[in-house]
């Protein structure tokens, strides 16, 4: 702890964002990382707590107080050490430093009666400096084991797992059904939150570490599950949870009603330079986004950039309180009103609203028929007489994901849990292993829809489990 009085003297400074009018002109990232001097001040706010709740709040247990202190000290050698500490728990800090909701900050001790340390902004600054300085280099294994591993799915879980296993000396092949690597980082999250060059340079690093990537390979269809089991010493299923929750109300079949994941990937492809025969576009339309989470927000920001006439986002749950009661919630992630960068770009939000029907003419959606609801002991009750309509030329369903696509799990014949995820424990002997010999599962495919930071954690831990399974022991971190 470099500055014992820092937390009393220094204020939290958030990262700067480009003004809304500026950032809406394109799909580039608009959040600017802290300068070295700003990061040092933010690092100096850390109290180096005896019990660092930030670290236990972080799913990958980032060693946060250490890099806060190193950034405060501020020599180039300190920054390099900060990067090494960061990489010791996280393969891809540039992913989490941009799009993690930062449960570590909710858990920070300073958050009890002050603003939390700006942990995510410091992480962002460290990894960006690492790339700028050329410190992020391939780390190929010194010795090859001769063992081979197939990874099915190239999201953050698959990538973290692949990198760990390649560094442990195994021959790793990543199979991806899409035309590009990256999972939801590539085709879910828009470029304005996360530019895809961050994935591309990691792919380059991983190729140099020996990882082979095979795209346009749908395992269970183009590539039989049995073939992978026959040809590889272990298989890890990291195919995500792609089965979107539908809204089977009357009129669902009208044109103009789409899943978020039909809409978002198309724009990411266009930003990547692809020419699409047809694109679902919000331009000039009244857009209604159903669902108030991250996916819904991404639909809002994309619709606004495409030039929507209006964007409305509705949510079935009640409007949360502006502020949490920290005495009740700390150090856990609190439910409170959050406004995403996309929502602040210009969208009308409404809560406690459910959709009864999609209304339209000539096969096209024109309106939503909605009703207000109240919640009583977990039960949703419609409020009589509260029906209303919302104009809608484009409706985007962003109500979460119910499970992995079942086909690939069935192709491998793995046992599933009650929610249709691949069943595998995360601790004890045989962790991350499914009911099928040599087949493991991690990330959203095992835990259900979650976060990038959890996917990285599971990818890393599954890598250790597979390494142990193949070699009888493992030096990879837990
Ligand atoms: C729109 C959107 C925005 C989000 N925003 C955030 C955010 O801001 N912050 C955050 O932390 N989390 C966010 N999330 C959640 C986060 O993206 C996921 O939790 C995370 O990507 C899960 O990682 P994963 O590796 O388990 O799976 P995924 O990222 O889903 O990757 C799975 C990959 O497996 C491939 N695959 C599936 N089946 C097969 C098969 N049979 N053969 C070959 N390949 C296959 C898929 O094509 C995909 O590329 C968001 C999710 C969505 C949908
Ligand atoms: S909980 Fe907050 S103040 Fe304490 S060590 Fe972690 S970042 Fe620093």
């Amino acid at each position: 702890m470099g500055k014992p009085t820092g937390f009393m003297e220094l204020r939290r400074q958030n990262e700067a964002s480009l003004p809304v009018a500026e950032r809406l002109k394109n799909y580039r990232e608009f959040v600017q990382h802290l300068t070295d001097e700003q990061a040092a001040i933010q690092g100096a706010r850390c109290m180096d707590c005896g019990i660092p709740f930030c670290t236990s709040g972080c799913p990958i247990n980032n060693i946060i107080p250490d890099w806060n202190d190193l950034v405060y000290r501020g020599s180039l050698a300190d920054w390099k050490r900060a990067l090494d500490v960061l990489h010791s728990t996280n393969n891809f800090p540039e992913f989490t430093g941009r799009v993690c909701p930062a449960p570590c900050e909710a858990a920070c001790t300073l958050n009890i009666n002050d603003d939390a340390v700006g942990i995510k902004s410091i992480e962002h600054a460290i990894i960006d400096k690492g790339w700028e300085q050329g410190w992020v280099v391939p780390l190929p294994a010194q010795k090859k084991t001769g063992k081979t591993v197939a990874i099915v799915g190239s999201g953050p879980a698959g990538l973290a797992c692949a990198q760990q296993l390649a560094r442990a000396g195994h021959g790793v092949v990543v199979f991806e059904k899409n035309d590009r690597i990256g999972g939801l980082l590539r085709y879910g999250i828009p470029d304005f939150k996360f530019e895809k060059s961050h994935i591309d340079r990691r792919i380059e690093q991983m190729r140099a570490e020996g990882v082979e990537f095979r795209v346009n390979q749908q395992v269970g269809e183009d590539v039989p599950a049995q073939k992978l089991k026959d040809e590889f010493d272990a298989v890890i299923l990291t195919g995500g949870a792609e089965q979107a929750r539908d809204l089977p109300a009357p009129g669902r079949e009208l044109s103009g009603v789409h899943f978020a994941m039909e809409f978002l990937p198309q724009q990411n492809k266009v930003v990547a330079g692809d020419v699409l025969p047809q694109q679902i576009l919000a331009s000039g339309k009244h857009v209604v986004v159903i669902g108030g989470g991250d996916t819904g927000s991404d639909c809002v920001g994309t619709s606004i950039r495409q030039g929507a006439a209006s964007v409305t986002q509705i949510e079935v749950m009640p409007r949360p309180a502006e502020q949490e009661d920290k005495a009740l919630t700390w150090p856990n992630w609190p439910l409170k009103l959050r406004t995403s960068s996309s929502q602040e770009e210009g969208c009308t939000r409404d809560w406690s609203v459910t959709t009864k029907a999609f209304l339209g003419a000539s096969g096209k959606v024109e309106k939503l028929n909605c009703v207000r609801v109240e919640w009583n002991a977990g039960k949703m009750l419609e409020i009589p007489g509260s029906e209303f309509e919302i104009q809608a030329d484009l409706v985007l369903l962003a109500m979460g994901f119910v499970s992995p696509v079942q086909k690939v799990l069935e192709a491998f014949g793995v046992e599933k849990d009650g929610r249709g995820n691949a069943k595998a424990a995360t601790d004890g002997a045989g962790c991350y292993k499914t009911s099928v010999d040599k087949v493991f599962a991690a990330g959203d495919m095992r835990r259900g829809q979650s976060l990038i930071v959890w996917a990285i954690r599971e990818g890393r831990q599954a890598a250790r489990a597979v390494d142990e399974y193949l070699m009888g022991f493992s030096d990879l971190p837990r």
Side-chain angles (χ1 to χ4, degrees), residues 45-49 51-55 64-65 68 104 107-110 117 119:
R45 293 187 69 235
C46 176
M47 303 186 290
D48 192 15
C49 302
I51 299 173
F53 282 91
C54 53
T55 292
I64 292 161
N68 284 344
C104 55
C108 171
T109 316
L110 260 189
V117 173
I119 299 166

Side-chain angles (χ1 to χ4, degrees), residues 127-189:
I127 184 59
D128 280 13
K129 182 178 278 299
W131 282 105
E132 281 155 27
Q133 294 288 333
W135 294 333
V136 186
V137 292
L139 300 172
Q142 298 297 312
K143 269 206 308 217
K144 296 286 181 194
T145 62
K147 305 280 185 190
T148 58
V149 183
I151 296 185
V152 181
S154 68
L159 292 179
C161 194
Q163 185 163 63
Q164 294 295 93
L165 286 169
R167 288 177 176 178
H170 305 303
V172 179
V173 182
V174 177
F175 293 83
E176 170 55 56
K177 71 172 159 54
N178 288 333
D179 58 350
R180 291 185 177 92
I181 294 296
L184 290 172
L185 285 163
R186 174 75 68 181
Y187 282 140
I189 299 177

Side-chain angles (χ1 to χ4, degrees), residues 99 101 152-158 175-178 183-184 188-189 193 217-219 238-240 242 261 264 294-295 298 401 408 443-444 450-452 455:
V99 290
V152 181
S154 68
F175 293 83
E176 170 55 56
K177 71 172 159 54
N178 288 333
L184 290 172
I189 299 177
K193 271 172 60 182
Q217 303 282 306
Q218 180 132 8
V219 174
T238 52
E242 298 188 304
M261 283 303 292
L264 293 170
D294 273 338
T295 306
D298 293 345
F401 299 83
V408 64
D444 282 8
S450 185
L451 293 173
I452 284 153

